[in-house]
Amino acid sequence: MTMKPVFLHKIFIAALVALLLAWATPAAAQSTGERPTVGLDLDRAIKMAADSSLASFRFRNLYMAGFWEYRTFRANRLPCLNLNLTPARYYRDITSRYDYENNIDVYRAQQSYFASAGLEIRQNFDWLGGTFFIESDLSFMRNFGTSTYSQFSSVPVRVGYRQDLLGYNAFKWEKRIEPLKYEKVKKDFVYNMESVSEDVVGYFFDLALAQTEYRLARENLVSADTLYTLGERRFKIAAISQAELLTLKLDLVNARNSLENSRIALKRANASLAAYLGMDRETRLEVAVPTLTALRRVETADALLHARENNPSILSQKQAVLEARQTVDKTRKENRFSASLNASVGYNQVGDNLSGAYRNLLRQDLVSLSVSIPLVDWGVRKGRLNMALSNLDVAEISERQQLQSLDEEVTVTVDDYNIQLDLITSAKEAMDLAERAYAQTQQRFMIGKTDLSSMTLASTRRQEASKNYISALKNYWLNYYKLRRLTLFDFETGIPLTRKFDLDNNVR
């Protein structure tokens, strides 16, 4: 019974010391300037790069430029209201006038002031390529000099239509090309973000490999030091030769050098990943190597189908072909005679005051037909048309070549991806076997049942197996995200990446 208070007192003291140590450790780290370690897995690294990297920021702004260009195109399809103002225009000059009394032209000094304002509603008509308009104008003029007078001129309303007859319809081609351009911009953005994921995979596994090499280098140094100490003892009892002892010392020196080199490589890989993620280069990162639980093979036919539907390079070639056809259509129609129609109907009036300009309105009708017929141009029109046709042929051939190149790249990537599935399994098995073999060889060497060569060989195989496993994982994820980039398709969820983009951003 007397021991219980003493025992509780000791527990209380131990708990108090633990709390003080826990409180003092962060403060000591802060006082020494040591940065805390940030744990990072592959998914989090990719998300951070998509949010904070300079590359993603650049790609996001490229997308926004294309988005606003498409919004401008959509806005141009809607009615447009313009206010046109000329607040003041003053003339003071000498001009030629006709003298009715003497039937001669004379020069006279002139001073005048002019101002105008007008409203215009304009609506483009895509089907014909013309423009409907409704206008209302009011202008004021005042002359100074020997005869001073003022006048108001009004056009309360005028309705009209402008149209190029038998000519090139730019509105029709814009309606076909602009939506395709926006779809390409959107897919370009998703495509570029997948390339960011590829970059992250490279930096991530470079750091993972550097961390693995650093860990192995530290373990190798401890092992080499232990073996050298054991070798000194055996040398004293003549259990090993001096050459074997020198070899153990050489292994110890090499292990120290390898540890220093691996520390430098680790620092560089850490800084590269941190900088790419938009973090401070001095931030200490600890990456967790992803484990693959459910590996899914991809069929080449499915990947080719998704690539042809979603890859932005296909849309780029389609856009190039459409623009070439647009140029051919424009050149061909401009080679013929051109005609334009301008018709309007409305009311106008002139008065000495503002109210008089709106009384007793007069009908105003305008119909204008203009025709231009090229007669002799020494083959200029024919040359332009042939050049446009040649460019169209080039665009169509480039489209077929791009499709062929895409098919080849997708096929190779699918093959590499599926091969990596088998390599990862064998690399993991080889790493586990190498770890077990190294542990057993080390134990046998400690008790003198194996030689130094076997120990060195087991250590080398262990290091190579660990590196091969990290490399297999890196190649797998690189091919995985490259396949996503080429097809813009998520093979895990079975959803196109562009559809996911539309859902995430409420794009209709």
Side-chain angles (χ1 to χ4, degrees), residues 4-137:
K4 188 173 182 180
V6 176
F7 179 71
L8 292 177
H9 179 71
K10 289 182 178 181
I11 293 178
F12 174 77
I13 295 297
L16 182 61
V17 171
L19 289 175
L20 290 174
L21 288 176
W23 175 82
T25 300
Q30 185 176 3
S31 63
T32 57
E34 183 179 352
R35 297 178 180 271
T37 301
V38 177
L40 204 62
D41 58 19
L42 184 58
D43 289 338
R44 185 186 174 193
I46 291 175
K47 292 178 181 177
M48 290 178 63
D51 293 336
S52 306
S53 68
L54 293 177
S56 64
F57 180 77
R58 174 175 174 267
F59 295 141
R60 194 172 293 112
N61 280 276
L62 287 174
Y63 165 75
M64 292 306 300
F67 170 77
W68 287 112
E69 182 180 357
Y70 180 68
R71 286 290 298 270
T72 302
F73 158 76
R74 293 286 301 271
N76 285 334
R77 309 275 73 77
L78 301 176
C80 177
L81 176 62
N82 293 324
L83 174 62
N84 303 314
L85 294 174
T86 303
R89 188 171 67 196
Y90 176 74
Y91 285 102
R92 182 176 183 178
D93 59 355
I94 296 177
T95 185
S96 175
R97 296 295 184 185
Y98 177 68
D99 187 347
Y100 291 97
E101 296 180 357
N102 299 316
N103 194 24
I104 59 174
D105 290 326
V106 296
Y107 285 105
R108 291 181 180 176
Q110 172 181 278
Q111 296 182 61
S112 64
Y113 171 83
F114 176 82
S116 67
L119 278 175
E120 179 188 28
I121 300 177
R122 197 171 60 244
Q123 172 65 61
N124 295 326
F125 189 41
D126 294 344
W127 187 55
L128 294 177
T131 302
F132 289 103
F133 62 89
I134 302 176
E135 296 177 338
S136 179
D137 297 323

Side-chain angles (χ1 to χ4, degrees), residues 150-357:
S150 301
Q151 278 188 320
F152 288 87
S153 174
S154 71
V155 180
V157 63
R158 179 167 56 227
V159 180
Y161 180 74
R162 305 184 187 97
Q163 168 73 56
D164 287 335
L165 301 176
L166 305 176
Y168 166 69
N169 187 352
F171 297 150
K172 182 185 71 173
W173 285 104
E174 287 180 358
K175 194 173 182 180
R176 296 177 60 185
I177 294 176
E178 291 300 326
L180 182 65
K181 287 176 61 177
Y182 173 65
E183 188 67 20
K184 173 185 169 296
V185 167
K186 184 170 61 175
K187 290 185 176 181
D188 271 337
F189 174 71
V190 180
Y191 180 92
N192 290 329
M193 293 306 294
E194 290 303 312
S195 69
V196 171
S197 300
E198 283 187 71
D199 293 339
V200 173
V201 168
Y203 288 120
F204 182 91
F205 281 100
D206 286 345
L207 179 56
L209 181 60
Q211 288 181 175
T212 300
E213 290 179 343
Y214 181 70
R215 175 179 58 82
L216 292 175
R218 285 191 305 174
E219 295 176 0
N220 190 37
L221 177 60
V222 174
S223 176
D225 184 69
T226 303
L227 293 178
Y228 178 69
T229 303
L230 180 62
E232 286 183 321
R233 295 175 184 174
R234 289 186 179 182
F235 179 73
K236 291 178 180 180
I237 60 176
I240 62 173
S241 65
Q242 186 176 10
E244 290 177 322
L245 180 63
L246 292 176
T247 301
L248 289 175
K249 186 173 183 180
L250 177 62
D251 290 341
L252 178 60
V253 174
N254 289 335
R256 290 171 180 167
N257 294 335
S258 297
L259 179 61
E260 186 62 28
N261 290 331
S262 63
R263 180 183 290 110
I264 295 174
L266 176 61
K267 184 177 180 180
R268 290 176 179 173
N270 188 98
S272 297
L273 178 58
Y276 192 83
L277 298 181
M279 305 170 68
D280 190 337
R281 294 178 65 90
E282 300 299 325
T283 303
R284 297 174 58 188
L285 301 175
E286 183 72 28
V287 298
V289 177
T291 57
L292 303 179
T293 55
L295 302 181
R296 181 179 183 274
R297 303 183 73 85
V298 175
E299 297 297 330
T300 303
D302 293 340
L304 289 174
L305 178 63
H306 296 311
R308 292 179 179 181
E309 290 179 351
N310 302 322
N311 194 281
S313 63
I314 301 300
L315 290 182
S316 296
Q317 295 302 320
K318 289 182 178 179
Q319 177 185 338
V321 171
L322 275 179
E323 290 175 345
R325 290 176 180 171
Q326 177 189 18
T327 304
V328 170
D329 180 61
K330 181 180 180 181
T331 305
R332 180 172 286 152
K333 290 180 177 178
E334 288 179 349
N335 282 350
R336 310 168 186 168
F337 73 93
S338 61
S340 60
L341 173 67
N342 188 356
S344 64
V345 60
Y347 297 91
N348 67 340
Q349 185 56 275
V350 177
D352 295 336
N353 51 51
L354 183 61
S355 60

